[in-house]
Amino acid sequence: MSVTKTAPAPHRAPKALTAYRPYWAKRFGTAPFLPMSRAEMDSLGWDSCDIIIVTGDAYVDHPSFGMAVIGRVLEAQGFRVGIIAQPDWQSAEPFKALGKPNLFYGVAAGNMDSMINRYTADRKIRSDDAYTPGGEGGKRPDRASLVYAQRCKEAYPDVPLIMGGIEASLRRIAHYDYWQDKVRRSILADAKADLLLYGNAERAIVEVAHRLAAREPIEQITDVRGTAFMRRSNDPSAEGWFELDSTEVDQPGRIDQHINPYLTTGQQAAAMGESCALEESGAFDPVKGQDKAVALGAEVKPIHFAKPLAATPLRGKMSLPPRERTVIRLPAYEQVKSDPVLYAHANRVLHLETNPGNARALVQAHAHRDVWINPPPIPLTMAEMDYVFDLPYARSPHPSYADKQGSHDGATKIPAWEMIRFSVNIMRGCFGGCTFCSITEHEGRIIQSRSEDSVIHEIEEIRDKVKGFTGVISDLGGPTANMYRLGCKSPEIEAACRKPSCVYPDICSNLHTDHTPLIHMYRRARALRGVKKILIGSGLRYDLAVRSPEYIRELVTHHVGGYLKIAPEHTEQGPLSKMMKPGIGTYDRFKALFEKFSEEAGKKQYLIPYFIAAHPGTSDEDMMNLALWLKRNGFRADQVQTFYPSPMATATAMYHSGLNTLKGISRIEGKGEKVDIVRGERRRRLHKAFLRYHDPNNWPLLRDALKDMGRADLIGNGKHHLVPSYQPVTDGAYQSARRKNSTTSGVKTSPVTKGRVLTQHTGLPPREHGGKPAARKTAGSGFAPRKKGR
């Protein structure tokens, strides 16, 4: 441990967003839209921008778009903020369009990770982009944050560069990259950014902006929560911190490494994120490969590897220093890139340090520099959430995207804006902890809710100001539909909790699950003048809903538009335990209540369950059993989701390491739990085919698989069979969910099925009209695509 009398203060206590003295440029007032051109700056009377935000999305001035939220928050603090949206990244010139920013560039890939936005789960390039006018693809580069950062540095090398958004958040440490199938360095190391803001960044960006405006060098801004930065190993500015080795937090087991005979002892130590004390002292000659003292006949002494911050491993009962002065050293990038066990270990430790109430700082060596990650940001209060959402958003795309008639509804329509145009975000965060989802890693597991008055005010704003409003609010929700104002009963317990989920394996006894505030909001919202209907489009957490039958009654009676989407994700316990999702029995209980209250309301309504194929821990037999469950319950899954390993997710660590990272990691045979990983195109196609058992294009593959599994009894033409023995003529075509997620129209694939057949496509059975089945709506009929987080 190394502590000095001049040690810097730990992370500062959170300051309210409204407690800052506005910057002098507040006198310019509020812009109708944040400017995207010099002409707009001139019309506002600006000679320059204080801050320029570069984003991979088209600029939509709406609180569901990150660039608008950060831009309006900074504007409210008095700063002049410009937007460079989807710039041509082939040169630095487009990044100079608004001139040189006075304070800093802010860079983000957009609302989605640019790689997930551009590639399917099968690593195929998508033809469209929901965040671009006209849905046009190819308007942002791969790893957009990294490319934009490099161009900003090229444009104005002396301007501080701050990265943010979900892409940067999920790449703040060494991370597995699914598209290259390797572990990449922290994006900070590649982008040469001065600072990275992770999670919802309003609190951090406001503090950093004011400190930069006060002429504080960005190199000295190292104490802001929710930030990450690079510093040299053994940097004097790190003095005053107690360094704890990550193996004291989570023991991965014995680490056996092959020694490279071509590396010196110092180079071997560097690869482990350490240094060789002998070589640094000059007592070892790396050229001759021997200890100089030994050459002179002195006594042989063991080599000592000294940690950069002189941390001493702790064993037994010892009094630890305050958590706010403790930093945990993760295995170095050079270690985790070639050791999946250590990668899994680092991922486990990172997820242990996500609660703002008790998280410690993390540090990870990248060669001779460290990536330093401060604890997560303190969640916004309800008053601060209201402040952020009540800012003067235009609730429309920037006028530069409009067609000749000044409309955004034609060829220039931005699909993502269309989806949220008449929706309202009521909360942030998710305490579900689903291993395949990145919401918790980005937004945190503490729910941040708006006040009822703020939500009602936004609905009235939509009613009175948004063009095309017909009286229907498409969604009142967020990452989930029904976590509004839910949380731990005790602030003390919440601050000390280290669990990754509040609802797995069962709902925590300390969790407050009362849905009354949400019910009251629904009732007040639908009573507003001019509001005909309020639908719930966000995914529902049904294991919470069954704790509040009155909420289900309210939802089913007034807020379901024919179908309700929920996400059991699977039916089998093996994959469900790796997802941290409840068993299918909970779905059955919710289904019974849903049908009961639908019948009482005199409505025919249907549940649309979503499932994931090829998730870690899923066997071929698991998918077969899921397919049988789908057929038994009359579901035809058209919108199929294959597991997508996003950076930093727990399931991604499973995918890369082959180990269950929810349990202890060990190299000792029998101690750790190995996970069945679905790799290879053929097996991933098979798991997807089981979900779409009804598609004739999949039948040949399924027949072969069922024979190999010894389940040929499921092949035949009876009701109990999974696939028929006959094969109709098909063209083999299939289009992804981003287009029309079904076999090409016009191709007859099988005889018309009579009776009630539900689909994930619409959730509604075919209706009889004059003896002919009515045409079903397709994915292109205006139904919103599935949200990424459940």
Side-chain angles (χ1 to χ4, degrees):
M1 182 173 70
S2 174
V3 181
T4 67
K5 293 182 179 179
T6 58
H11 307 286
R12 305 184 182 192
K15 187 175 181 179
L17 296 180
T18 55
Y20 292 87
R21 181 179 179 181
Y23 191 57
W24 68 266
K26 180 80 171 178
R27 69 188 67 175
F28 287 100
T30 301
F33 283 88
L34 302 177
M36 292 179 63
S37 66
R38 291 304 294 259
E40 290 175 83
M41 290 171 58
D42 292 340
S43 67
L44 294 169
W46 299 4
D47 61 345
S48 61
C49 290
D50 300 309
I51 298 159
I52 295 176
I53 297 175
V54 181
T55 174
D57 292 340
Y59 171 33
V60 179
D61 200 50
H62 187 284
S64 290
F65 286 75
M67 90 291 287
V69 172
I70 294 300
R72 289 298 187 182
V73 166
L74 288 170
E75 179 190 56
Q77 298 291 323
F79 300 104
R80 294 168 293 178
V81 183
I83 301 282
I84 298 178
Q86 298 188 320
D88 181 357
W89 65 91
Q90 302 302 326
S91 74
E93 288 306 310
F95 295 80
K96 300 178 182 179
L98 302 182
K100 183 178 180 179
N102 301 321
L103 297 180
F104 64 88
Y105 272 117
V107 169
N111 275 16
M112 282 183 67
D113 183 283
S114 64
M115 298 300 288
I116 295 176
N117 179 280
R118 183 165 163 77
Y119 295 91
T120 69
D122 297 323
R123 299 189 180 99
K124 296 178 181 178
I125 295 179
R126 302 187 195 273
S127 58
D128 60 343
D129 183 342
Y131 293 88
T132 302
E136 183 181 357
K139 287 295 185 179
R140 76 186 83 205
D142 290 356
R143 301 181 178 84
S145 295
L146 176 58
V147 175
Y148 292 160
Q150 292 171 340
R151 288 303 189 202
C152 287
K153 279 294 184 184
E154 184 180 342
Y156 298 109
D158 58 330
V159 173
L161 177 65
I162 300 175
M163 304 181 73
I166 192 165
E167 180 165 285
S169 285
L170 302 186
R171 288 169 166 77
R172 58 186 183 264
I173 65 167
H175 54 278
Y176 173 72
D177 186 271
Y178 172 64
W179 303 273
Q180 290 186 328
D181 193 23
K182 72 174 188 179
V183 175
R184 288 178 61 96
R185 301 192 301 175
S186 164
I187 195 170
L188 269 169
D190 289 332
K192 307 297 189 294
D194 297 288
L195 204 60
L196 183 151
L197 275 54
Y198 67 90
N200 294 121
E202 291 94 346
R203 197 182 297 285
I205 197 70
V206 167
E207 179 176 349
V208 171
H210 280 290
R211 290 170 69 174
L212 288 174
R215 299 289 187 265
E216 184 174 350
I218 195 167
E219 297 81 11
Q220 296 180 14
I221 302 179
T222 60
D223 59 346
V224 179
R225 298 182 67 110
T227 64
F229 53 90
M230 299 288 293
R231 66 172 14 140
R232 298 186 308 276
S233 299
N234 299 314
D235 193 316
S237 65
E239 291 185 357
W241 288 84
F242 180 88
E243 183 179 301
L244 186 65
D245 191 276
S246 63
T247 56
E248 296 296 333
V249 179
D250 177 71
Q251 180 57 256
R254 189 183 70 240
I255 301 174
D256 296 324
Q257 294 185 330
H258 296 291
I259 301 299
N260 186 336
Y262 299 102
L263 297 181
T264 68
T265 308
Q267 290 170 331
Q268 293 171 21
M272 298 170 63
E274 301 175 343
S275 60
C276 176
L278 281 175
E279 193 167 305
E280 286 185 349
S281 67
F284 184 80
D285 187 342
V287 178
K288 294 183 179 180
Q290 63 178 337
D291 190 326
K292 294 179 181 177
V294 172
L296 297 176
E299 179 185 355
V300 177
K301 295 183 179 180
I303 296 174
H304 171 64
F305 290 102
K307 295 185 180 298
L309 299 188
T312 303
L314 302 177
R315 301 292 179 189
K317 294 182 179 180
M318 297 184 68
S319 59
L320 295 176
R323 299 182 78 88
E324 63 269 16
R325 288 189 181 275
T326 301
V327 59
I328 298 175
R329 180 167 290 278
L330 301 173
Y333 160 71
E334 289 76 13
Q335 292 176 279
V336 299
K337 74 174 183 179
S338 56
D339 190 334
V341 174
L342 283 184
Y343 179 88
H345 160 71
N347 185 269
R348 275 174 55 84
V349 174
L350 182 140
H351 282 84
L352 281 173
E353 304 298 328
T354 56
N355 183 348
N358 59 49
R360 292 163 287 194
L362 302 173
V363 64
Q364 184 178 54
H366 285 59
H368 299 295
R369 303 182 73 201
D370 287 337
V371 172
W372 191 285
I373 304 172
N374 285 329
I378 300 297
L380 298 184
T381 64
M382 181 174 286
E384 289 175 316
M385 284 285 286
D386 290 351
Y387 169 78
V388 170
F389 281 87
D390 291 347
L391 292 170
Y393 302 97
R395 304 191 68 88
S396 171
H398 189 272
S400 63
Y401 303 125
D403 56 24
K404 294 180 179 179
Q405 288 73 39
S407 171
H408 298 282
D409 294 324
T412 62
K413 179 187 294 184
I414 300 172
W417 171 69
E418 183 65 22
M419 185 180 78
I420 53 86
R421 186 176 182 178
F422 306 117
S423 70
V424 179
N425 195 328
I426 63 175
M427 46 76 69
R428 284 179 181 169
C430 180
F431 49 69
C434 300
T435 60
F436 52 80
C437 181
S438 299
I439 290 176
T440 301
E441 285 90 340
H442 184 62
E443 295 192 1
R445 62 188 178 97
I446 296 177
I447 303 303
Q448 304 163 71
S449 300
R450 299 169 62 184
S451 71
E452 184 179 295
D453 287 344
S454 176
V455 172
I456 296 300
H457 173 70
E458 183 171 349
I459 296 174
E460 291 173 334
E461 287 278 298
I462 294 173
R463 177 196 64 192
D464 299 337
K465 298 180 180 179
V466 178
K467 180 182 177 182
F469 181 63
T470 61
V472 178
I473 296 294
S474 60
D475 187 24
L476 281 184
T480 56
N482 59 320
M483 286 188 184
Y484 178 73
R485 299 188 71 171
L486 302 189
C488 194
K489 296 176 182 177
S490 165
E492 292 77 18
I493 293 175
E494 181 179 71
C497 184
R498 309 274 284 174
K499 290 178 62 178
S501 172
C502 300
V503 292
Y504 183 86
D506 197 3
I507 295 176
C508 178
S509 59
N510 294 310
L511 184 66
H512 176 74
T513 60
D514 183 15
H515 286 53
T516 300
L518 188 56
I519 294 171
H520 188 272
M521 180 191 292
Y522 286 176
R523 291 173 178 171
R524 183 177 170 189
R526 68 172 184 265
L528 289 174
R529 175 184 56 81
V531 175
K532 300 176 183 176
K533 185 81 172 177
I534 292 182
L535 301 173
I536 303 304
S538 298
L540 186 78
R541 190 79 196 198
Y542 56 86
D543 51 348
L544 288 172
V546 295
R547 294 289 186 98
S548 181
E550 183 60 29
Y551 170 74
I552 300 177
R553 183 194 301 273
E554 189 79 13
L555 179 75
V556 168
T557 305
H558 301 286
H559 302 286
V560 175
Y563 71 98
L564 179 70
K565 59 184 180 182
I566 57 176
E569 306 299 2
H570 218 285
T571 57
E572 307 306 295
Q573 193 56 40
L576 286 173
S577 67
K578 308 305 183 297
M579 300 175 184
M580 292 208 301
K581 293 285 289 186
I584 198 67
T586 309
Y587 165 84
D588 293 334
R589 290 195 293 274
F590 178 81
K591 181 173 181 287
L593 289 171
F594 179 88
E595 292 175 345
K596 173 188 174 183
F597 294 136
S598 291
E599 184 177 356
E600 290 179 1
K603 296 183 176 182
K604 290 289 185 180
Q605 300 181 141
Y606 306 93
L607 287 177
I608 306 302
Y610 287 95
F611 300 95
I612 292 181
H615 190 279
T618 308
S619 66
D620 297 350
E621 288 74 16
D622 289 332
M623 292 306 301
M624 177 191 71
N625 290 333
L626 172 54
L628 291 170
W629 184 93
L630 287 170
K631 183 167 186 179
R632 192 163 56 247
N633 286 274
F635 286 106
R636 291 188 171 186
D638 278 347
Q639 292 180 327
V640 174
Q641 179 163 314
T642 308
F643 170 66
Y644 207 147
S646 60
M648 218 170 78
T650 297
T652 301
M654 294 184 195
Y655 179 88
H656 176 56
S657 67
L659 299 171
N660 183 1
T661 56
L662 298 176
K663 298 184 177 181
I665 300 298
S666 178
R667 299 177 191 276
I668 301 174
E669 190 68 29
K671 277 200 170 183
E673 180 184 345
K674 294 186 177 179
V675 174
D676 186 4
I677 303 301
V678 185
R679 295 183 185 273
E681 182 180 353
R682 186 184 186 281
R683 195 166 177 224
R684 285 174 69 87
R685 281 181 50 235
L686 173 62
H687 281 214
K688 184 188 291 187
F690 271 121
L691 278 182
R692 301 194 75 251
Y693 67 91
H694 56 281
D695 187 345
N697 293 314
N698 292 326
W699 292 348
L701 177 62
L702 291 175
R703 289 192 199 98
D704 291 342
L706 290 172
K707 291 175 183 176
D708 292 340
M709 295 163 64
R711 295 304 308 269
D713 58 299
L714 295 176
I715 304 172
N717 303 324
K719 290 184 178 181
H720 64 284
H721 294 116
L722 185 62
V723 294
S725 54
Y726 68 91
Q727 183 66 35
V729 177
T730 68
D731 66 351
Y734 178 77
Q735 296 181 15
S736 73
R738 294 294 290 267
R739 287 297 185 183
K740 292 181 180 179
N741 190 9
S742 60
T743 306
T744 304
S745 59
V747 178
K748 186 175 181 180
T749 58
S750 62
V752 176
T753 303
K754 295 182 179 180
R756 178 174 295 181
V757 180
L758 308 185
T759 75
Q760 286 187 2
H761 224 39
T762 65
L764 302 176
R767 297 175 181 173
E768 295 296 330
H769 292 282
K772 296 182 180 180
R776 296 181 185 177
K777 293 183 179 180
T778 69
S781 302
F783 286 101
R786 182 186 190 186
K787 292 190 176 181
K788 295 297 176 185
R790 272 99 43 210

